[in-house]
Amino acid sequence: MKIKNLHSAYFIGIGGIGMSALARWFHHNGVQVYGYDKTSTKLTTQLEGEGISIHFEDEIDKMPDFVFEPSKKVLIVYTPAIPKDHKGFNYLKEKGISIYKRSEVLGKLTEGMFTVAVAGTHGKTTTSSMIAHLLKSGKKDIAGFLGGITNNYDTNMVMNQGDYKKAIIVVEADEFDRSFLTLKPNIAVVTSTDADHLDIYGKLEELKKSFSVFLENVNPKGQIYIKDGLWEDIASKKIKASPTEYGLNAGGIRALNVQVKDAKFVFDVTLHDTVIKGFQLSVPGFHNVENAVVAIAIAHQLGLNDKEILEGIKTYSGVKRRFEYVIQRENFIFIDDYAHHPSEIKAMLTSVRALYPGKKVSVLFQPHLYSRTRDFAVEFSQSLSLADEVMLLDIYPARELPIEGVSSDILLESIQVDEKYKVEKDTIIEYLSNRELEVFITMGAGNIDQLVEPLKNMFNKQYAV
C-alpha cells in the first residue's frame, strides 16, 4: 500500500467519525473516494455534498467496480465496527482482496511525516482539536484527523493546504482495539489511562501495557507529554523519547492562577522556566484548562510565539458534544456533553458546579455499553451523585448484546440524590415540558444526541425571554 500511488479508495463504514475524516483526507488529496454505511446521517450527507459517493445497501452489486479488480492503485478500508455478517466485507475477504483497517491506513499515511498523536481514555478529542486550532491559527500547515466535529471549522478533518508530505499531522490516537499502535509519532500526548474498554483489554493492567507500547513507538528524538501522575505506571525501558509531565497543579508544565470569570476560565501557564500570562478559555471546565496546558506546550515547541498562542486559545470554540452550550441564558443553561465514563462525568459536573454555584443541576444520562455499565456501576453512581437531579435512559448497547441483570436500574439504586428517575427516550420531551430547570445537561455517547435539537426547540419556547 503506497499512498502516493492511489487513484481510488472504498470505505466500508464511511459514516464513522474516524473513517469519515480519513475519507475526507483522501478526497482532498486527489483520490476518488466511495463508501458504504448502514444509514444516512448528517455526516454522510455532508460527505456526499463534498463529492463522495455513498451507498446504504449492503449488496455486492452496489460496490464500485474497481474493488473487484485488485490493484496497487486501489485501497479498501474498513472499520472493526461493521457487523461480522457484512456481505461486502465477507465477499472481498473470500476473494482474497486486500482490505485494511482504518488504523493501519492511518499508520501508513503518517509514516515519515511529522506527527503529533494524542492518546488517552478521555480528553483526546478536545486536546487534539486544540492543538490543531493553535497550529492552524498560527499559520502552520497541518492535517488534523480528529475524533469530533470542531466548532471552529465545522469538520473532523482539518485539511492541509500545501503538499501533504510537508504538513504537520495532528491525529487522535485511539486506544480502542489497540488502533494507536500503528502510529510512530514525533510528539505524543497521554491525557489519561483510566480503566475503559475492558471488553477489549480484560483488565486495567493490559490497557496500561498498550499505552506503554504506544510510547515505545514515539521517535527516540521526539517528545512525550503525559498527565502528571501517569508516567510511573506505564514507563518502560523501551521508551526512548523524553517525557514531560503536565497538569493543573503539578508537572513541569502546568496552569497557574486558575479562576472563573464570567463563565470562562482564565489562567497563566508555566513552561518549565517560561511563564505565559493571560489565557482566556471560552470552553469551560477544569479538565479543559488541563487539556489547554499541553496544547500550549506543543504550540510553543513548534514555534508559535506567545501572542499567537494566547490568541489561539482565546478563539478556540470547542468540539460538538464536548461541554457544548446549547442554550446559554441568564435564567436557563442547557449543556450537551459526550461524557460516558465516570471520570468524565465527575470532571464535567465538578466544572459545572464551579461555573454555576447555587444553581440546581439536572442531568439526563444515557449509559453506553452493558459491559461498561456493569464494570463501573459504583463509580457511575458516585459521579452522577454530584448532580441535584438525575434522569437515566436505558443503556445504549452499541456493539454489544444485553447482559443479564445489567440495566440502568443498577445505577439508579446507588445514586445519592433525592431526585432520581428512570425515563424513556420516546417520552422525555413530554416529561420535561413545563419543568422548572436551571442548569440542564444531556450526557452520553449513544444516540442521546438525537434528543438535543427537539429539547432545544422546546426549551427555547419554554424559557423565552
Side-chain angles (χ1 to χ4, degrees):
M1 176 186 23
K2 291 188 177 180
I3 302 296
K4 65 180 181 180
N5 295 334
L6 296 175
H7 66 63
S8 301
Y10 178 61
F11 288 77
I12 304 174
I14 196 169
I17 199 74
M19 287 283 279
S20 58
L22 197 59
R24 278 174 157 150
W25 184 87
F26 277 106
H27 179 69
H28 177 75
N29 287 286
V31 176
Q32 289 187 44
V33 175
Y34 299 78
Y36 157 84
D37 211 277
K38 185 178 180 180
T39 54
S40 176
T41 63
K42 182 179 179 181
L43 189 47
T44 59
T45 300
Q46 288 175 339
L47 295 176
E48 289 176 305
E50 293 165 17
I52 295 174
S53 298
I54 303 175
H55 65 96
F56 300 96
E57 306 85 8
D58 180 18
E59 300 295 342
I60 309 301
D61 61 3
K62 297 291 183 181
M63 296 191 292
D65 291 341
F66 67 77
V67 303
F68 306 110
E69 303 168 4
S71 165
K72 291 181 179 179
K73 295 185 178 182
V74 167
L75 176 67
I76 304 173
V77 190
Y78 78 100
T79 170
I82 61 170
K84 292 180 180 179
D85 61 353
H86 188 276
K87 293 179 187 177
F89 175 80
N90 287 314
Y91 177 85
L92 296 172
K93 290 290 284 184
E94 288 166 8
K95 294 296 182 183
I97 295 171
S98 296
I99 312 177
Y100 298 91
K101 278 187 181 180
R102 182 192 70 89
S103 57
E104 292 178 275
V105 178
L106 196 55
K108 195 69 178 176
L109 187 156
T110 58
E111 203 172 83
M113 299 166 68
F114 192 95
T115 301
V116 180
V118 182
T121 46
H122 38 263
K124 56 184 174 287
T125 300
T126 299
T127 305
S128 56
S129 68
M130 278 184 176
I131 295 166
H133 176 65
L134 285 177
L135 295 177
K136 188 171 181 65
S137 65
K139 308 304 181 188
K140 298 288 185 181
D141 192 15
I142 69 155
F145 296 84
L146 310 175
I149 305 297
T150 62
N151 290 322
N152 286 93
Y153 308 104
D154 196 29
T155 183
N156 55 341
M157 181 67 237
V158 182
M159 294 298 180
N160 55 287
Q161 298 304 307
D163 183 348
Y164 73 82
K165 293 187 289 296
K166 296 179 181 178
I168 296 171
I169 303 295
V170 180
V171 60
E172 181 170 323
D174 191 359
E175 76 281 356
F176 174 72
D177 200 28
R178 297 177 172 83
S179 292
F180 61 171
L181 300 186
T182 64
L183 300 168
K184 295 178 172 58
N186 301 84
I187 297 175
V189 179
V190 177
T191 63
S192 51
T193 58
D194 291 334
D196 201 3
H197 303 305
L198 298 186
D199 55 326
I200 301 293
Y201 289 97
K203 52 187 179 180
L204 178 59
E205 289 76 14
E206 290 302 313
L207 173 68
K208 289 186 176 181
K209 283 181 185 176
S210 198
F211 276 95
S212 295
V213 177
F214 167 68
L215 295 183
E216 289 169 11
N217 290 337
V218 178
N219 187 303
K221 295 181 181 179
Q223 178 68 52
I224 294 167
Y225 293 95
I226 186 164
K227 185 180 171 182
D228 175 65
L230 302 184
W231 176 248
E232 188 174 334
D233 274 355
I234 63 173
S236 95
K237 292 181 180 179
K238 293 182 180 179
I239 299 172
K240 303 302 180 185
S242 301
T244 295
E245 294 187 288
Y246 72 91
L248 271 181
N249 303 306
I253 296 169
R254 62 188 182 277
L256 305 171
N257 308 317
V258 181
Q259 300 175 60
V260 179
K261 292 184 179 179
D262 300 323
K264 294 182 180 180
F265 281 72
V266 296
F267 56 97
D268 306 325
V269 170
T270 178
L271 306 172
H272 299 296
D273 299 327
T274 301
V275 177
I276 308 176
K277 295 184 176 183
F279 286 102
Q280 297 179 44
L281 184 63
S282 60
V283 178
F286 290 107
H287 55 299
N288 284 328
V289 174
E290 192 168 65
N291 295 333
V293 167
V294 70
I296 289 162
I298 290 171
H300 186 267
Q301 179 183 337
L302 295 180
L304 270 65
N305 61 41
D306 292 3
K307 183 179 178 181
E308 290 169 332
I309 299 172
L310 284 162
E311 183 64 18
I313 291 296
K314 185 177 180 179
T315 57
Y316 174 73
S317 56
V319 181
K320 292 188 185 302
R321 304 217 64 231
R322 269 66 170 188
F323 213 121
E324 182 181 10
Y325 280 108
V326 182
I327 299 174
Q328 192 173 15
R329 293 178 180 166
E330 194 168 321
N331 65 332
F332 179 65
I333 301 295
F334 178 10
I335 301 167
D336 181 42
D337 197 88
Y338 190 69
H340 58 285
H341 185 280
S343 297
E344 296 168 343
I345 295 170
K346 181 180 179 181
M348 172 71 180
L349 293 179
T350 300
S351 296
V352 168
R353 287 292 190 196
L355 286 164
Y356 303 105
K359 296 273 191 182
K360 180 181 178 180
V361 177
S362 303
V363 171
L364 175 64
F365 177 60
Q366 182 186 49
H368 185 262
L369 296 177
Y370 292 101
S371 59
R372 184 182 282 130
T373 305
R374 176 199 62 198
D375 293 341
F376 303 110
V378 172
E379 293 85 351
F380 272 122
S381 296
Q382 289 172 342
S383 296
L384 288 165
S385 296
L386 293 171
D388 297 299
E389 178 183 18
V390 178
M391 293 158 273
L392 294 178
L393 294 170
D394 286 328
I395 296 170
Y396 184 78
R399 57 187 179 271
E400 292 184 336
L401 294 173
I403 297 174
E404 188 176 350
V406 178
S407 72
S408 296
D409 294 325
I410 66 174
L411 306 184
L412 194 68
E413 293 169 7
S414 303
I415 293 171
Q416 300 299 306
V417 301
D418 292 333
E419 299 180 64
K420 55 181 182 178
Y421 320 97
K422 181 79 175 293
V423 295
E424 299 296 327
K425 185 169 178 278
D426 293 341
T427 59
I428 190 64
I429 305 294
E430 181 183 354
Y431 180 81
L432 289 170
S433 63
N434 299 314
R435 289 280 309 279
E436 289 190 13
L437 300 168
E438 294 182 320
V439 178
F440 177 75
I441 307 167
T442 46
M443 284 196 298
N447 61 2
I448 191 172
D449 61 316
Q450 295 173 357
L451 293 173
V452 173
E453 197 63 28
L455 283 170
K456 176 184 177 181
N457 293 336
M458 182 187 75
F459 288 142
N460 271 331
K461 294 175 183 175
Q462 198 164 304
Y463 295 96
V465 179

